[in-house]
């Protein structure tokens, strides 16, 4: 009985990883598939552990089959992740970017967030869900040459830069949440995109939003960088499709950012993507204890052609 129960858990967990890999990003069972993809790494571990337990209980044939299925799921997931990511580069950094989902409806935390961000001395700082950051705008303006306009009632994206940009703009990718995509041309021909996407299981909204985002990414020059809260890890089907369609790549072994207190179990849903000859040299966490259930990051980048 125990072996049978362990076998059922192992097979169920492994199939919950393999199945969503072949389910389209939109329609039908897609919302459930996207939710399962969020925790697919942990489901794989569950499938493998319970498969090995079946083996230890003496059911060699069934246990071996369960272990093989879990390993097959791991190979499938790992191969997709490998193609969607690149390792950090051993190069000289010349651009520092900070990204943080502040979740700052509580404006009392905004001063601490800005002080911590300034201490990191970024060239560009990007905050999303920044509605509560209004009270800290004077502090940002004292520290940076450029701070984007931030209406108190609708500040989804807030950007600060240490040089006056060539241009900056925001636009909406879905009809429900406005102005959650932005671009800054921080030096001639050098672009940084930023976004905050809906959750991928919001069927009917997430799919069209990703199509519009892909079009925006493909408008950017060949060498570019984008940051964002994508609400999905690099191994998820919609994220892999976005990367495939645009040529961007996520960072291999990226930081787990959500939920902030989950330590090694946190998921890398806040990401930096690069394309062309732009490379990430280092990546470190930002934002612990600053009131958000996300961690942000500080990325050191190598950007060829960037003016000193």
């Amino acid at each position: 009985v125990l072996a049978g129960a362990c076998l059922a858990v192992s097979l169920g967990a492994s199939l919950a990883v393999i199945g969503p890999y072949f389910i389209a990003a939109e329609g039908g069972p897609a919302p459930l598939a996207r939710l399962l993809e969020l925790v697919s790494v942990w489901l794989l571990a569950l499938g493998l552990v319970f498969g090995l337990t079946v083996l230890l209980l003496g059911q060699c044939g069934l246990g071996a089959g369960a272990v093989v299925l879990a390993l097959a799921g791991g190979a499938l997931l790992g191969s997709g992740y490998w193609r969607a990511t690149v390792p950090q580069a051993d190069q000289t950094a010349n651009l520092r970017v900070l990204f943080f989902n502040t979740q700052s409806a509580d404006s009392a935390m905004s001063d601490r967030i800005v002080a911590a961000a300034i201490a990191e001395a970024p060239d560009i700082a990007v905050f999303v869900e920044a509605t509560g950051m209004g009270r800290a705008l004077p502090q940002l303006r004292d520290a940076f040459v450029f701070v984007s306009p931030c209406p108190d009632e609708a500040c989804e994206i807030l950007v600060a830069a240490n040089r006056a940009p060539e241009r900056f703009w925001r636009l909406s990718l879905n009809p429900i949440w406005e102005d959650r995509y932005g671009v800054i041309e921080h030096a001639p021909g050098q672009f940084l995109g930023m976004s905050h996407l809906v959750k991928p299981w919001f069927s009917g909204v997430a799919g069209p939003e990703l199509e519009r985002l892909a079009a925006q990414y493909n408008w950017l020059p060949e060498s570019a960088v984008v940051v964002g809260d994508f609400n999905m890890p690099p191994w998820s089907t919609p994220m892999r499709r976005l990367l495939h369609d645009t040529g961007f790549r996520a960072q291999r072994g990226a930081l787990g950012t959500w939920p902030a207190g989950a330590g090694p179990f946190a998921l890398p849903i806040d990401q930096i993507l690069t394309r062309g000859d732009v490379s990430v040299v280092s990546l470190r966490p930002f934002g612990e204890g600053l009131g958000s259930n996300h961690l942000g990051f500080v990325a050191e980048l190598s950007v060829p052609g960037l003016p000193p």
Side-chain angles (χ1 to χ4, degrees):
V1 175
L2 180 58
C6 290
L7 179 65
V9 172
S10 178
L11 295 179
S14 297
L15 290 173
V17 171
I18 296 171
Y21 199 90
F22 299 100
I23 294 174
E26 286 280 303
L32 176 59
R34 304 295 77 85
L35 281 166
L36 290 173
E37 283 180 331
L38 199 64
V39 293
S40 56
V41 173
W42 318 128
L43 289 171
L44 274 176
L46 194 68
L48 186 59
V49 167
F50 276 85
L52 290 171
T53 302
V54 174
L55 272 175
L56 292 174
L57 290 172
Q59 299 296 322
C60 296
L62 293 174
V67 169
V68 167
L69 187 64
L71 292 176
L76 187 67
L77 196 69
S79 65
Y81 177 75
W82 195 266
R83 290 193 298 271
T85 59
V86 291
Q88 292 178 13
D90 184 16
Q91 296 178 0
T92 300
N94 59 353
L95 182 70
R96 180 177 297 169
V97 175
L98 181 148
F99 176 83
F100 187 44
N101 182 334
T102 71
Q103 292 195 323
S104 59
D106 178 10
S107 62
M109 189 63 70
S110 61
D111 290 336
R112 287 184 56 195
I113 292 171
V114 168
I118 292 171
E120 294 286 350
D123 297 300
I124 305 172
V126 178
F127 307 96
V128 300
E129 284 198 65
T131 301
M133 297 289 285
R135 62 176 280 172
L137 287 178
Q139 190 178 353
L140 272 177
R141 291 180 181 130
D142 286 342
F144 292 92
V145 172
F146 169 81
V147 177
S148 62
C150 184
D152 287 344
E153 68 278 6
C155 192
E156 283 290 347
I157 293 178
L158 174 64
V159 182
N162 64 3
R163 73 168 78 194
E166 300 295 308
R167 47 185 167 159
F168 167 76
W169 68 93
R170 286 181 287 240
L171 54 84
S172 301
L173 298 177
N174 72 69
I176 302 174
W177 291 278
E178 297 181 346
D179 295 332
R180 291 172 73 167
Y181 176 72
V183 178
I184 184 169
E185 186 178 2
H186 55 93
Q190 301 288 349
F191 290 82
L192 171 73
M194 57 212 75
S195 56
H196 181 198
L197 300 187
V198 302
K199 294 174 175 59
W201 49 87
F202 284 13
S203 192
V205 178
E209 180 185 60
L210 278 170
E211 290 177 3
R212 296 185 185 105
L213 183 65
Q216 293 298 320
Y217 282 1
N218 285 329
W219 177 89
L220 295 171
E222 175 58 29
S223 292
V225 57
V226 296
V227 295
D229 174 2
F230 293 89
N231 269 311
M232 53 186 165
W235 56 79
S236 69
T237 297
M239 192 70 196
R240 287 187 292 104
R241 177 176 297 177
L242 174 68
L243 297 171
H244 176 270
D245 291 347
T246 63
F248 278 96
R249 291 294 178 266
Q251 285 301 294
R252 194 167 298 156
L255 305 165
T257 62
W258 181 88
F265 299 103
L267 294 166
I269 67 173
D270 302 271
Q271 302 177 51
I272 182 165
L273 314 180
T274 57
R275 185 172 68 188
D277 54 6
V278 178
S279 301
V280 174
V281 177
S282 69
L283 202 59
R284 64 180 186 273
F286 171 83
E288 186 174 357
L290 292 179
S292 175
N293 69 356
H294 287 248
L295 288 177
F297 56 79
V298 177
E300 303 281 353
L301 295 153
S302 171
V303 183
L306 184 66

